[in-house]
Amino acid sequence: MPHLTTTGTRLSATGAAELGIGIPGYAHPLLAPTEWGELARPGAPLHWAVLNVADGPGTRPDPHCLEAAGRLRNAGVKVLGHLDLGHGSRPFGDLIGDAQRFADWYRVDGFLLDHCPSGAADLPAVRRATATLEVVLEHADGGHLVLGHGVHPHPGYAGIADQMVTFLGSWADYRWSQVAEWTADHPPERFVHLVHGVPRTHLDEAVRIARWQGAGTIFFTDRTGDRSGDREGRTDPFAALPGYWDEIVSRIGPGVSE
């Protein structure tokens, strides 16, 4: 399975992987054309962007999503399909069926496994899923897999995917968060932090926390909402560009040092 440092992540002068951005899933390209257009802008420090057509790949190829995915790939941005593990409740056959449709229709470069379990008891099932997804992604040399735990999982998960989302939540929680000791045994490119409600005035502080805690991929936004539970009746804070998109790109883009 390829890791970030072998798939296009810039390296600093010291050889360390630089901080970059992962897009956890904007709204449909018809609803968020500006957002999807910005992702193809040359020079943006993007590691990947998640495509979520309709809580998965949908029932048929979507021409607007096909166009958006193709534009990103042409710009050198990895496109990941969104797969919901339902905290371990998703039937294996349904999961792999959605993955195959993502691969066949959109030629995705990998997957974000949202609502991924984090306990030791679920590790064998998730390991089985990731091994099968690598086969589905044979066209992409095994692809890029991100486990969307949202918390620090059992350390055994570090060996079965390229990256893990070890924080997903609000700025109020992030600024006082603690990193698990076992993460020190792994390089920053293995860890992803997704934080909403980050005020513009605290953006520098948020970037410092990410670096102190050893994250290699981040997404910060000033938008607020709730990503837990069902979509109905809630606002996804990651569905649109943050108000300070240009600022965060300039802070961690090419030539920006710590």
Side-chain angles (χ1 to χ4, degrees):
M1 181 183 300
H3 292 289
L4 227 58
T5 49
T6 65
T7 54
T9 299
R10 298 182 314 279
L11 298 180
S12 68
T14 62
E18 294 181 3
L19 194 65
I21 299 171
I23 307 298
Y26 284 149
H28 189 280
L30 270 180
L31 302 177
T34 301
E35 281 76 0
W36 286 95
E38 278 293 317
L39 298 186
R41 188 173 69 177
L46 296 177
H47 289 164
W48 40 259
V50 174
L51 178 66
N52 189 2
V53 182
D55 285 333
T59 57
R60 62 181 62 87
D62 183 308
H64 303 287
C65 292
L66 284 168
E67 180 183 358
R71 191 185 310 119
L72 289 187
R73 278 198 301 274
N74 289 339
V77 179
K78 288 185 179 299
V79 178
L80 309 184
H82 178 275
L83 298 174
D84 193 333
L85 268 63
H87 302 290
S89 65
R90 184 85 185 277
F92 181 79
D94 290 352
L95 177 73
I96 302 306
D98 275 359
Q100 193 65 62
R101 284 186 283 275
F102 264 124
D104 292 343
W105 296 344
Y106 302 104
R107 305 300 290 172
V108 294
D109 303 295
F111 297 106
L112 168 67
L113 279 64
D114 204 5
H115 299 127
C116 184
S118 57
D122 292 298
L123 185 53
V126 178
R127 182 184 289 114
R128 177 192 179 202
T130 57
T132 306
L133 292 174
E134 288 183 36
V135 176
V136 172
L137 292 166
E138 186 176 5
H139 67 277
D141 295 328
H144 188 83
L145 300 180
V146 182
L147 302 181
H149 306 287
V151 297
H152 287 95
H154 183 278
Y157 285 91
I160 63 173
D162 294 276
Q163 292 186 290
M164 296 165 289
V165 179
T166 52
F167 185 92
L168 189 159
S170 70
W171 167 243
D173 292 331
Y174 188 60
R175 67 186 310 188
W176 305 114
S177 62
Q178 299 290 325
V179 65
E181 292 185 6
W182 64 263
T183 63
D185 296 330
H186 302 276
E189 59 262 30
R190 305 301 301 281
F191 303 104
V192 181
H193 292 174
L194 308 175
V195 190
H196 57 78
V198 181
R200 184 188 300 267
T201 53
H202 289 277
L203 188 53
D204 283 337
E205 182 184 354
V207 171
R208 285 196 299 270
I209 291 173
R211 287 183 166 132
W212 289 338
Q213 293 197 4
T217 302
I218 57 95
F219 186 81
F220 297 151
T221 181
D222 49 353
R223 299 180 183 276
T224 59
D226 181 15
R227 259 213 156 192
S228 63
D230 298 328
R231 284 177 175 267
E232 185 177 354
R234 65 188 175 86
T235 301
D236 185 349
F238 302 130
L241 279 172
Y244 42 62
W245 173 253
D246 287 338
E247 289 184 45
I248 195 166
V249 167
S250 68
R251 274 171 167 77
I252 67 175
V256 178
S257 59
E258 295 186 27

